[in-house]
Amino acid sequence: MPGGYLTTHVLDTARGQPAKGMTVELFRLTGAERRLVSSKITNADGRTDAPILPAEDFLPGTYELVFHAGGYLDKSGAAPETPRFLDVIPIRFGISDAGAHYHVPLLISPFGYSTYRGS
């Protein structure tokens, strides 16, 4: 059975377009340890060019995706504010099926966000 993998897709709902240029980090959490596994930047489609967690590194466990929304919003032309209402958005989730595709998208605007397990 092929190994699972993890992807994301970031959409800017305020502008009605993909969120290009957002830094996304993935951490694996084991007890009190929080280890950086991957760091990527979204492309013109709001996706990363490769899975954030490819099949060869995919393991069940607890993970945290960290979306650096503030930097993206600063560059996107969103009205400036200090500090930003949304800056760093962590999403903690579990992977239980080592053979599945996990997709964790982010829908963002300057004052709100939403996520879900996609396909």
Side-chain angles (χ1 to χ4, degrees), residues 10 19-24 40-42 67-69 72 106 108:
V10 186
K20 176 184 178 184
M22 184 183 294
T23 299
V24 181
K40 307 252 186 228
I41 297 176
T42 57
F67 296 88
H68 292 268
Y72 163 77
L106 181 71
I108 185 170

Side-chain angles (χ1 to χ4, degrees), residues 22 67-76 84 86-89 108:
M22 184 183 294
F67 296 88
H68 292 268
Y72 163 77
L73 291 167
D74 289 345
K75 292 183 234 170
S76 76
R84 279 226 171 262
L86 292 176
D87 185 17
V88 176
I89 300 171
I108 185 170

